[in-house]
Every structure is written in C-alpha cells, then in structure tokens.
Amino acid sequence: MTQAEIKLCSLLLQEHFGEIVEKIGVHLIRTGSQPLRVIAHDTGTSLDQVKKALCVLVQHNLVSYQVHKRGVVEYEAQCSRVLRMLRYPRYIYTTKTLYSDTGELIVEELLLNGKLTMSAVVKKVADRLTETMEDGKTMDYAEVSNTFVRLADTHFVQRCPSVPTTENSDPGPPPPAPTLVINEKDMYLVPKLSLIGKGKRRRSSDEDAAGEPKAKRPKYTTDNKEPIPDDGIYWQANLDRFHQHFRDQAIVSAVANRMDQTSSEIVRTMLRMSEITTSSSAPFTQPLSSNEIFRSLPVGYNISKQVLDQYLTLLADDPLEFVGKSGDSGGGMYVISILTTCHLLSSFLCRFGSRCARIFRLVLQKKHIEQKQVEDFAMIPAKEAKDMLYKMLSENFMSLQEIPKTPDHAPSRTFYLYTVNILSAARMLLHRCYKLCLFDRRLLEKSQRVEAIIASMQATGAEEAQLQEIEEMITAPERQQLETLKRNVNKLDASEIQVDETIFLLESYIECTMKRQ
C-alpha cells in the first residue's frame, strides 16, 4: 500500500470516527495483523480504548479478526474497505435513483451504522421520512419494509455472518472469539416480519417542558420492552453489488459512445440477464444465446432477430472486444468482457490529449514498435510524435526496450522498441487519483483548522500580530490553491466523485486482468 493511500485512510478514519479509532486503524494498516495487547502497547493507548476502537472498526467491516491455534486473536485492517468510504455518497445516490428516498435512507443508515437489524432500519427510516413530511402525514413501516425487501431481492443489501446455533449450545468453555458463518442461500433471505406502525416525530422542547422533567421520569427496564422480532439477524450494504452496477453502467456508456444506442441497449440487456448469475469480480459474464437475448429485450423495443444477430456480430468483431463469441448453439453464444483496456484510455485522454491516446492505443495493439513506425501508423509529424513518446516515457506510462544487433550495444546497431505495461500504467493512474483525493482533503482540513483557531482567538481578544502569525501557517502556494478550491467549492464534491469513478475503473481493470493471467 502506498504512502498516499495510507494517509488518505488516516484522514477518512479521523473524519468518520475520531482520533483514537484513526490511531488504531492506521497502526494496523502499517503493521499488519496484531493481537490486542500488542496494539495497546505499540500505540500507547489504554486496553479499554483499544477494545472500543476495534469494536467500531469491526462493526463497520474495516477490521477483521482471526483466531490462531494457540488461542490468540489477531486483528487485521481491511485497507480497501477503508478507502471505500470515499464512495459512500455514490452508493447512496445510486440507491436514490433506483429506489427513491426510502431506499436512499435505508442504505445510508446501514453505511452509517455498519450493521443493523431490519426492524431497526425500518423504524429509523420511517421516523426520518416522517420528519420531512407535512404535519399530519406519517410514513408507514410496511412501505419502508417493502423497499427493504426489494433491495434484498436485488442483492444491494445482504445478511451479515452470525454465530451458528451449535456453537452457542456447546457446554465447553467459550472460544476466544466467535466464528461467524453465513449460508449463501440465506444471504438475501428476508425474515417474515409483521412490522405494524408509523414513523414518529421528535418531541419539541415545548412538549418536553410541559411534561415531567427528564431526570424524574420513570426508567423502564428491558423486561417491559417487547422482544425484537429479528434479533440476531443483522444486515449490511453489499458493496460488491454496487460495484457491479457501476461497472455495468460504465460498459453500457462506453458501447453507446463507441457505436450507437441500440448496441448499448443490447449490452444492457445482456448485463441484466447476468446480474445474479455472474460474480461481481468475474472477468466475463456467463454465456448467453442469441435467442435468450432476443426474448429478454425490453418490451416494445422494435428490433428483429436478424437485426439483433447483425448487431451481435458487429460487437463481437469490434477490436475493443466489448462482446465475445463463445459458441454457435442457440443462434450463437455471447459473453461480455467486463473491463477492457479502452476504459483506461478515457483517463489517459484527459491527461495527455487525443493524439497521445492514439499513440498509446497503437503501442498497445502492436505490443512492440519503433519510433518511425509510430509516426507512420499514427500519422503524426515526427517531431510531435517524438515529444509525445518521450513525455509518456518520462511519466512511466511506456517503457523502452533495447534489442542490440551486436554485443557492444552501439546505438547505430540497436533497435529501440516502445512498449506498454498496461497493469503498471493502470497502477500509476490509480496512485495519482489517490494523491489527488488526499491533497484536496488535507488542504481543506488545514484551512478549516486555521479558521477555527483564528475565530477562537478573536473571541478571546487576541492581538493583530498573533492573528497574522496564525494566518501565515498556510503558505502562499497553498493559499493560491485554496482560493481556487473555494471558488469551486460546489464542484469539489462532484470532482471527488469523478476521481472515484476513475479509481473504480482502474481497480476493476487491475483485478480482472490479474484473474485472466
């Protein structure tokens, strides 16, 4: 893990959970798995605080634990899951577009709390929706429950692993840590709950004042409370399913830009057919026959079987390999390549321009190519092609391979071939995306800290010289960059989401490519 990623994890943990959790989380990221007492000793934190911090991290799936043979429990940070917190706004917004405000709040509650029972989620969401409604209107529990069921049916939420009942009934000494298991067929099984009721509004201060003082109100014991109908069945947001949705949207958009709307609709249909049958991390979808695709096209979409076959042939013959043909049965069997190298070109195009992207694509296709061949095939003037190649070489997006004709490696008798290590280029872009997110967050955090100090000193009547000294904590270049950020503060969140889209594509491409090898 790079230093930029570790620092970004540190900022995210501190922003969401505070300094103590951030200290424990970053320590585990840097050192790897460690037992409880070693963590407390190395971080100089009390055992009680370490336990509470680990509870928070485990609750949010940011730390996992493992019991070793000697009974020692070691905790390990899930770095990739910490970085996923950058994507929380995108998960929530996606649910809003698919399942309206109710679905949005369900996923938001699960992300904020890590794990919750269905009944707790339904009540929290119903109360929040009731707060936003006009006086006299309330949100019914049943309506929220129906949306939760739809999210489970489409796998956007899933059950958390739990302690098996056999382990609880074991008369022997309890294990040092529970073993959590989940049956795959039960992951999306919603318990049958009869949640009857409506959302409640918070009591106003006037109502509280009219009633008994809070301190004198009778405290009811847990014995008087009704038993929770789904106690022990916890749910969490299924981030892999969201990633699958993002990936499918990127593929459909790329096909539409490459060909036309009809092609993208055909690919969208194929992806919908493969949503449940294909793993979110698989490099290819399950094979689908032409006949199956034709029957699954949207109702009212006027396209004949013959035209469909022509489109599928065009997609399969396209050099960017969005669709591949895997057989001839059923009118032809087709698969979708989850992420191809063309997804990298959009990031490359933004950084270096369309001509550089053309050269980059050419080198990818030819594997190894000389500078003169680049000039000829790309139809770019010699000086301009040379400058672009050297620029990409200096940025480590390309490498130069020497093939000498003679043992003395004389330049006049040596071939110099340009080549692209696509995985290396993807990792390079990914690292830069994380550095960009880190820089923006650190600069804004520093600005807010300085402004808070100045406001506090002004309130206590500090002298002008002291205020000037505090303001100089931000250097001139940082101040200039900060002014730019402040002018575009409304665009900052959108730009972070765009950077995260690039991060997602690059990570998905690296993962798929590694599985193919």
Side-chain angles (χ1 to χ4, degrees), residues 34-103:
Q34 284 193 335
L36 176 65
R37 294 190 180 277
V38 175
I39 297 170
H41 177 269
D42 291 350
T43 58
T45 310
S46 69
L47 208 59
D48 185 54
Q49 286 183 323
V50 173
K51 287 179 181 178
K52 290 178 181 178
L54 287 173
C55 283
V56 171
L57 292 167
V58 171
Q59 170 76 8
H60 288 266
N61 298 315
L62 306 178
V63 162
S64 61
Y65 61 84
Q66 185 177 2
V67 183
H68 291 276
K69 292 181 180 178
R70 295 183 179 180
V72 178
V73 181
E74 289 194 347
Y75 298 88
E76 183 177 4
Q78 302 298 311
C79 311
S80 59
R81 180 65 192 237
V82 177
L83 292 171
R84 292 296 78 81
M85 288 194 286
L86 276 174
R87 209 166 286 158
Y88 279 8
R90 195 175 173 197
Y91 299 142
I92 295 169
Y93 178 73
T94 299
T95 319
K96 181 182 177 68
T97 31
L98 295 175
Y99 298 98
S100 72
D101 293 345
T102 308

Side-chain angles (χ1 to χ4, degrees), residues 201-214:
R201 299 178 188 272
R202 295 177 184 174
R203 290 186 177 183
S204 65
S205 57
D206 296 336
E207 289 174 343
D208 286 339
E212 297 181 40
K214 292 183 180 179

Side-chain angles (χ1 to χ4, degrees), residues 154-180:
T154 51
H155 297 186
F156 282 103
V157 298
Q158 63 182 14
R159 281 195 188 190
C160 302
S162 58
V163 181
T165 52
T166 54
E167 189 170 320
N168 289 331
S169 60
D170 190 358
T179 302
L180 305 179

Side-chain angles (χ1 to χ4, degrees), residues 209-272:
E212 297 181 40
K214 292 183 180 179
K216 294 185 179 179
R217 289 178 189 172
K219 295 182 179 178
Y220 297 96
T221 62
T222 53
D223 297 336
N224 296 330
K225 292 183 179 180
E226 296 181 2
I228 301 173
D230 56 344
D231 189 23
I233 303 175
Y234 288 89
W235 292 81
Q236 62 187 352
N238 183 5
L239 303 191
D240 288 339
R241 179 64 181 87
F242 279 100
H243 293 168
Q244 184 180 357
H245 177 77
F246 299 156
R247 179 203 68 196
D248 292 351
Q249 293 294 103
I251 293 172
V252 170
S253 176
V255 172
N257 293 334
R258 173 73 175 174
M259 302 186 75
D260 62 5
Q261 198 63 37
T262 303
S263 299
S264 68
E265 194 58 47
I266 292 170
V267 170
R268 188 194 304 275
T269 301
M270 295 173 68
L271 289 168
R272 282 178 179 168

Side-chain angles (χ1 to χ4, degrees), residues 36 72 97 115 138 142 161 181 185 235-236 262 293 297 311 319 330 353 387 433 459 461 465 487:
L36 176 65
V72 178
T97 31
K115 303 178 181 71
T138 55
V181 295
K185 66 179 182 180
W235 292 81
Q236 62 187 352
T262 303
I293 298 169
L297 284 171
Y311 268 103
D387 290 342
C433 288
R487 284 197 300 269

